[in-house]
Amino acid sequence: AGGKMAAVKGLETCLRVAGAAAARPERFLSVQDGLSSDFRALTKTLYDLNKALGSNIVRGGPLKELVIENFDEEQIWQQLELQNNEVLDFFKKSIARDAKDEGLCLLSDQEENDSDAETSSDQEFEDNIMDAETEQKNTKDKTKAKEKQSKLKESIMQKCSDEDSDLDFDIEALEKSIVDDKFFKLAEMEAFLEHAEKENREEEDDINYFEDIISDDEEEESEGATVKVRISDMNEMMVENMRSKEASKKVTFSLPDDSETEDITDTQLEKGSDPSEIKSSFEKRQEKMSKKIKSLEDELLKEKPWQLKGEVTGQKRPENSLLEETVLFDHAVRMAPVITEETTFQLEDIIKQRILDEAWDDVVPKEKPKEDAFEYKKRITLDAEKSKLSLAEIYEQEYMKLHQQKTEEEENPEHKEIQEMMDSLFQKLDALCNFHFIPKPPVPEVKIVSNLPAVSMEEVAPVAVSDAALLAPEEIKEKNKAGDVKTDAEKTPTDKKRERRKKKLRKRMKLREKEKRQKLLEKMKPEQGTKLNKKAAAAALKRLTKEGKVSLLKDEGKDKVLKSSQAFFSQLQDQVKMQIKDASKLKKKQKKQTATSVHKLKL
Amino acid sequence: METEAAGDGGGFTGVVSKRSRRKRRAAAGTAMDTAEPRPSKRPAFPPVAAEALGVGKGEIRKVPVPANRYTPLKENWMKIYTPIVEHLQLQIRFNLKTRNVEIKTCQETKDLSALTKAADFVKAFILGFQVEDALALIRLDDLFLESFEVTDVKPLKGDHLSRAIGRIAGKGGKTKFTIENVTRTRIVLADAKIHILGSFQNIKMARTAICNLILGSPPSKVYGNIRAVASRAAERF
């Protein structure tokens, strides 16, 4: 009795907790730690209760009590599973047995269900089905479960019986097929399908033209429809579920199959579209295509996403939406190479190889070859006379020259070698003999070019040719490094200053040279040196002025005459002219006077 | 390089020279040839016999002689005749009726190109070249003959034409000789026709020079140009 009391109490607490939790389902939107611990405790009490009560008919799992301390959900679940598997097997067997039992009457306890509104019974129906689909919790006693199972069956049958009593579903319902699963009974499905077909047929036949179309009726009808919809939805879900499970077990069906099944249910749901005749595959395809087309058209008519809208500013698209987009754009400049370890290794390899090969890339200074005009003219001689040799002989000579050169080169190296060896030997001997070390004699770098006939040394150009025509301008005068030659008008002030500086420098150098030479001369030959000396010149000048042979004009700066020789001589000339004029005038005057006396004397 | 015997000088491995290896391979190759036909890249034909080409039958080349060259031909006949008959082993005659120099092959002719060479030689002489110069055609393979007219370069008439010809020739022929000497060619200036004999590059040089003269450059300028070109050509070789 005590145990039973405890059991009853435990059950009451369980009910209470569960009811409280169910009362406010919105709490389950977030994690509820307190509730979860409550539920765990609940589970434990129920399990222990079940085990404590014991049963003669089914043994259950090996665990005597449920351990929940420091266990997570998986572990608790596995413990429950152990118990449930055992129990489930037993239940299955018992149900099968009971189903086969013809003595059982299935039509009892229907008034209760009838009285309820269809919707509520649907709810129950759904709940039952949900329960059946999920693992049975050990919270339900086996008897209760059994009851529920039978109720399930009954409710299904009830549905079918309410709407259509023609079907002999007893047999059908109790038939078992290979396809049958936990969730699916083939007989059920067939029954449902037949029923649905009948319904459609009935609808066609029973169009009541005289029926008043009132809103209430419509509501009712819609309700009924929704009910039907919901049931069929449920079935559909179940079917789909089963189908998906089947698909996962077997090879996946190709798409048309699924859509076909969907079509069947869809078309049977829709009232307006085609009647109950089974469609051909072509029609089905056509419908599918038209649906696709319609969906595509709708898409096109809808507003485009921001990606397809052309120029989109930041305000027109969602925040940070560009980050999710992969944007393509052209790079005008080649990207800089990424420097990785491999690239450095490659570079180092190249450098090492170059060092080994001694392939340095030093800059070689370019030298401009300077050719004398003379050399240039010597290269080709212009003979203006008919050649003495015939063409054949000319070519013959060329050929011989070519071949002779080769033999020359072969002989010379031997001579050279001998010469070199002798040189080194004598040098060493000299070094040994003499006490003073004589450095190596410089090797003459002058190379004597092959001998030309003496005639070619002279000018051989034709008579009428001038140098200007023969030589290029560069050969006549070296080009200025700067480039053009500038006239005085073109020169910039810097140019002028530069030139002035250069001129002064040149003059300075010349003066210094002169003085140096003078000094040297004085030292070496005193008499000659003093001749050109400045001091000597000044002394001579003084002497001459003293003697009176030379008069020294004082340069005050006012007299223009002394500034330039031109001025001086022009003045001199003028003076002399004046003198001559005066003299001539005088003469004329004298002549005139004598003329009058003669006239006077005339008698 | 001589082959060193293997095991020479105690421990040294003998190195076989490449020449001997090649000889050995060649010997082996010939041995192989006799054994089986070698899969060669090119088909190997034996040189064609002279008879097969119909040389022995007697091909004839005819070179017409204009009236103005009749006398020079008569004067230089022996000089023309000798090299053709003795060196080239051909038969030559002058057909008085048709005024053609006819050259024919015979049994003794060994070289197939001899006939062409002889014909060219006679033609060159007929154009106006000296016999010694034309002889170079026989001795050297790569000499050619180029002819063109003054009016090809620039359409000149009357006095201008005469002046152009005079420019080409120069006083006493010295311009022409200068060009000949520098470019190592021979030029024949026959009124309005110009013939050049020489190797390909030289003909090009001479032709350029003559064309410049026709177009009106002064001779001194032309000298400068051919000198530059000739020196560059000479430097290359």
Side-chain angles (χ1 to χ4, degrees):
Chain A
K4 268 200 176 173
M5 280 295 290
V8 167
K9 260 196 176 171
L11 276 171
E12 278 177 11
T13 48
C14 292
L15 275 169
R16 210 179 344 105
V17 169
R24 295 184 50 203
E26 66 273 9
R27 283 190 294 176
F28 289 109
L29 287 172
S30 61
V31 179
Q32 302 282 328
D33 290 321
L35 272 179
S36 77
S37 56
D38 278 344
F39 277 123
R40 273 195 220 187
L42 198 103
T43 323
K44 182 172 166 55
T45 28
L46 288 173
Y47 188 93
D48 295 343
L49 207 64
N50 188 18
K51 280 289 177 192
L53 284 174
S55 99
N56 307 327
I57 303 165
V58 68
R59 256 203 11 239
L63 296 170
K64 282 260 163 80
E65 60 175 17
L66 188 68
V67 186
I68 55 168
E69 282 118 43
N70 301 327
F71 268 36
D72 68 344
E73 296 84 48
E74 268 305 309
Q75 290 162 321
I76 299 172
W77 183 255
Q78 278 165 13
Q79 292 178 56
L80 290 175
E81 238 185 330
L82 276 173
Q83 164 76 3
N84 285 345
N85 284 340
E86 294 287 328
V87 170
L88 264 175
D89 285 338
F90 173 71
F91 281 156
K92 276 190 205 167
K93 286 188 197 134
S94 58
I95 285 168
R97 197 172 12 94
D98 289 342
K100 283 201 192 121
D101 192 0
E102 290 183 6
L104 272 177
C105 178
L106 296 166
L107 294 172
S108 61
D109 294 338
Q110 297 307 307
E111 288 82 26
E112 290 177 31
N113 291 331
D114 278 337
S115 62
D116 289 339
E118 288 192 350
T119 51
S120 60
S121 70
D122 271 342
Q123 287 278 5
E124 215 183 0
F125 186 64
E126 286 180 53
D127 284 350
N128 291 340
I129 299 220
M130 280 302 170
D131 287 340
E133 283 182 4
T134 59
E135 294 262 35
Q136 276 200 17
K137 288 186 186 165
N138 60 347
T139 47
K140 296 194 183 76
D141 216 340
K142 50 177 174 167
T143 49
K144 272 195 187 169
K146 231 184 174 177
E147 268 183 31
K148 285 237 167 143
Q149 283 262 339
S150 55
K151 258 199 185 169
L152 207 159
K153 275 263 169 295
E154 285 161 5
S155 52
I156 291 173
M157 300 316 139
Q158 176 229 322
K159 272 287 149 276
C160 296
S161 65
D162 275 349
E163 288 155 27
D164 202 340
S165 56
D166 291 345
L167 290 173
D168 185 11
F169 49 77
D170 283 352
I171 300 166
E172 279 183 36
L174 303 173
E175 245 179 30
K176 263 204 160 190
S177 67
I178 310 167
V179 198
D180 284 356
D181 205 2
K182 247 184 269 185
F183 314 122
F184 177 70
K185 300 266 186 285
L186 185 67
E188 277 180 34
M189 191 183 91
E190 280 182 355
F192 168 75
L193 289 174
E194 280 187 46
H195 162 68
E197 276 179 23
K198 260 200 179 166
E199 230 180 273
N200 282 336
R201 262 183 267 124
E202 277 175 15
E203 280 172 21
E204 262 195 32
D205 297 339
D206 301 343
I207 299 169
N208 195 355
Y209 295 110
F210 302 108
E211 201 175 7
D212 287 332
I213 302 165
I214 318 168
S215 54
D216 293 339
D217 287 348
E218 282 180 0
E219 272 183 30
E220 277 179 6
E221 279 179 13
S222 65
E223 253 190 47
T226 51
V227 161
K228 285 181 198 157
V229 162
R230 279 163 67 193
I231 293 166
S232 47
D233 273 347
M234 271 297 307
N235 279 326
E236 197 185 358
M237 262 168 50
M238 276 174 69
V239 164
E240 276 185 28
N241 229 345
M242 184 228 60
R243 277 284 155 94
S244 65
K245 291 224 169 183
E246 270 192 14
S248 64
K249 287 181 207 164
K250 303 180 198 171
V251 176
T252 53
F253 293 117
S254 60
L255 212 54
D257 284 333
D258 288 336
S259 53
E260 272 173 19
T261 55
E262 285 175 20
D263 279 340
I264 295 166
T265 48
D266 280 348
T267 48
Q268 282 170 351
L269 283 172
E270 286 172 17
K271 276 190 192 171
S273 54
D274 298 291
S276 61
E277 291 157 13
I278 297 172
K279 296 221 183 92
S280 67
S281 57
F282 173 72
E283 280 179 346
K284 289 175 203 158
R285 262 186 272 124
Q286 286 295 94
E287 278 179 29
K288 217 182 10 141
M289 193 104 75
S290 59
K291 256 188 234 141
K292 258 194 197 162
I293 291 169
K294 192 163 178 292
S295 74
L296 284 172
E297 283 175 357
D298 288 337
E299 231 184 85
L300 282 173
L301 290 171
K302 264 194 292 181
E303 196 185 310
K304 298 224 171 118
W306 69 265
Q307 283 95 339
L308 301 175
K309 270 206 184 148
E311 280 190 22
V312 183
T313 60
Q315 280 85 26
K316 301 220 181 84
R317 53 181 165 79
E319 192 181 326
N320 292 337
S321 54
L322 258 188
L323 293 175
E324 280 120 44
E325 285 293 307
T326 49
V327 188
L328 293 171
F329 46 87
D330 294 332
H331 296 268
V333 191
R334 237 211 290 185
M335 308 295 288
V338 177
I339 308 280
T340 57
E341 266 190 61
E342 289 146 16
T343 57
T344 44
F345 285 141
Q346 277 176 357
L347 270 174
E348 282 173 11
D349 285 338
I350 293 171
I351 292 168
K352 281 185 216 157
Q353 192 56 41
R354 287 234 185 132
I355 294 170
L356 288 171
D357 294 339
E358 300 205 2
W360 321 115
D361 53 2
D362 297 333
V363 179
V364 178
K366 273 197 281 189
E367 280 173 20
K368 186 174 171 186
K370 286 218 163 173
E371 200 184 8
D372 212 8
F374 193 49
E375 302 285 325
Y376 179 72
K377 277 187 266 171
K378 260 203 289 176
R379 268 199 276 147
I380 297 282
T381 61
L382 278 181
D383 186 16
E385 287 168 8
K386 180 172 171 141
S387 90
K388 305 287 182 308
L389 306 164
S390 76
L391 201 65
E393 281 166 9
I394 290 173
Y395 280 114
E396 199 185 309
Q397 277 184 352
E398 250 187 60
Y399 181 80
M400 298 307 287
K401 230 201 294 180
L402 267 173
H403 284 259
Q404 260 180 14
Q405 262 178 15
K406 287 183 194 171
T407 51
E408 259 184 45
E409 278 167 15
E410 280 169 16
E411 281 186 328
N412 265 338
E414 287 185 9
H415 285 196
K416 252 202 237 170
E417 251 190 79
I418 294 169
Q419 190 66 36
E420 275 174 27
M421 279 157 62
M422 278 182 63
D423 280 340
S424 71
L425 176 68
F426 283 134
Q427 194 208 326
K428 283 179 186 148
L429 288 171
D430 286 341
L432 286 171
C433 301
N434 302 344
F435 290 104
H436 309 289
F437 175 67
I438 299 166
K440 262 198 294 189
V443 180
E445 282 177 30
V446 177
K447 223 196 322 184
I448 298 171
V449 187
S450 63
N451 45 1
L452 286 165
V455 182
S456 74
M457 295 297 175
E458 300 163 18
E459 180 55 56
V460 204
V463 179
V465 179
S466 70
D467 275 349
L470 283 178
L471 297 173
E474 277 86 10
E475 282 156 1
I476 297 167
K477 182 182 188 313
E478 269 301 325
K479 217 177 168 188
N480 191 7
K481 200 167 77 170
D484 326 312
V485 181
K486 287 188 180 173
T487 58
D488 287 339
E490 288 173 6
K491 284 189 189 149
T492 62
T494 30
D495 290 334
K496 288 186 193 158
K497 285 191 180 149
R498 197 191 297 132
E499 284 200 4
R500 190 176 152 78
R501 271 183 257 133
K502 281 218 179 96
K503 184 168 95 173
K504 285 175 81 168
L505 185 75
R506 260 183 271 133
K507 269 234 154 98
R508 218 180 298 142
M509 302 310 285
K510 264 196 217 163
L511 201 62
R512 282 204 199 131
E513 284 289 308
K514 199 171 173 190
E515 279 174 13
K516 248 196 249 172
R517 258 185 286 125
Q518 270 286 58
K519 278 195 188 146
L520 206 68
L521 210 61
E522 272 185 23
K523 277 191 199 160
M524 309 303 270
K525 301 174 188 172
E527 311 98 27
Q528 274 187 8
T530 47
K531 240 199 238 177
L532 300 162
N533 214 351
K534 227 179 186 180
K535 284 189 236 163
L541 192 66
K542 235 183 179 180
R543 197 173 15 95
L544 285 169
T545 47
K546 271 193 186 158
E547 282 175 18
K549 289 185 184 172
V550 173
S551 63
L552 206 64
L553 296 167
K554 273 197 192 153
D555 182 17
E556 281 166 7
K558 291 181 195 168
D559 220 352
K560 236 199 215 177
V561 179
L562 295 170
K563 289 241 167 117
S564 71
S565 56
Q566 189 186 27
F568 177 72
F569 282 111
S570 59
Q571 208 200 38
L572 194 64
Q573 179 78 357
D574 292 339
Q575 263 183 359
V576 170
K577 259 196 194 160
M578 293 294 283
Q579 279 179 5
I580 294 168
K581 239 193 196 173
D582 292 341
S584 65
K585 259 193 194 165
L586 209 63
K587 258 196 182 173
K588 264 194 187 167
K589 261 192 181 171
Q590 283 176 1
K591 264 197 180 169
K592 258 192 181 171
Q593 281 179 357
T594 52
T596 49
S597 63
V598 165
H599 204 71
K600 270 186 188 169
L601 288 171
K602 223 175 192 180
L603 291 163
Chain B
M1 277 186 247
E2 281 145 85
T3 56
E4 299 171 18
D8 191 18
F12 288 116
T13 52
V15 178
V16 182
S17 77
K18 282 188 192 166
R19 211 195 297 159
S20 69
R21 206 185 297 154
R22 228 180 282 149
K23 276 191 200 158
R24 249 184 264 157
R25 209 188 297 151
T30 50
M32 265 165 51
D33 268 345
T34 54
E36 63 199 40
R38 185 166 28 116
S40 57
K41 292 167 250 176
R42 270 181 292 153
F45 294 120
V48 180
E51 290 83 28
L53 279 174
V55 166
K57 282 191 193 157
E59 270 184 37
I60 299 181
R61 294 283 163 88
K62 298 185 183 165
V63 183
V65 182
N68 61 338
R69 295 301 284 169
Y70 194 51
T71 324
L73 183 67
K74 264 207 294 193
E75 284 164 16
N76 294 316
W77 181 248
M78 287 315 289
K79 280 200 261 182
I80 295 169
Y81 166 97
T82 318
I84 288 179
V85 172
E86 286 179 20
H87 299 308
L88 299 174
Q89 279 106 30
L90 294 163
Q91 295 174 343
I92 184 168
R93 77 170 179 191
F94 180 63
N95 195 334
L96 287 157
K97 262 185 268 173
T98 57
R99 296 291 172 101
N100 285 356
V101 175
E102 289 168 9
I103 310 170
K104 198 170 92 156
T105 57
C106 62
Q107 252 80 22
E108 283 90 41
T109 317
K110 296 186 198 79
D111 196 10
L112 297 163
S113 59
L115 191 60
T116 331
K117 279 193 190 170
D120 280 342
F121 164 60
V122 175
K123 195 154 77 167
F125 175 76
I126 299 296
L127 281 178
F129 292 96
Q130 304 281 4
V131 184
E132 297 84 22
D133 300 333
L135 212 57
L137 277 170
I138 297 181
R139 295 178 69 175
L140 289 145
D141 263 342
D142 61 347
L143 291 189
F144 299 98
L145 202 53
E146 173 151 344
S147 314
F148 63 98
E149 286 202 33
V150 176
T151 42
D152 288 344
V153 183
K154 191 175 177 188
L156 298 166
K157 283 181 285 205
D159 267 359
H160 302 294
L161 182 63
S162 319
R163 269 197 285 274
I165 298 171
R167 267 201 304 275
I168 297 172
K171 190 171 272 187
K174 69 183 159 86
T175 318
K176 186 183 87 135
F177 290 137
T178 317
I179 298 177
E180 281 184 3
N181 288 333
V182 173
T183 60
R184 289 200 301 265
T185 53
R186 287 291 172 264
I187 302 175
V188 163
L189 190 51
D191 287 338
K193 290 203 185 62
I194 300 163
H195 311 284
I196 311 175
L197 170 74
S199 70
F200 182 68
Q201 301 279 37
N202 295 337
I203 284 180
K204 224 173 19 171
M205 275 196 273
R207 191 179 62 218
T208 319
I210 293 173
C211 288
N212 286 339
L213 283 169
I214 295 170
L215 291 169
S217 323
S220 49
K221 192 165 203 179
V222 174
Y223 293 154
N225 287 340
I226 40 173
R227 208 202 225 139
V229 177
S231 64
R232 247 185 283 140
E235 256 176 49
R236 247 183 277 136
F237 302 108

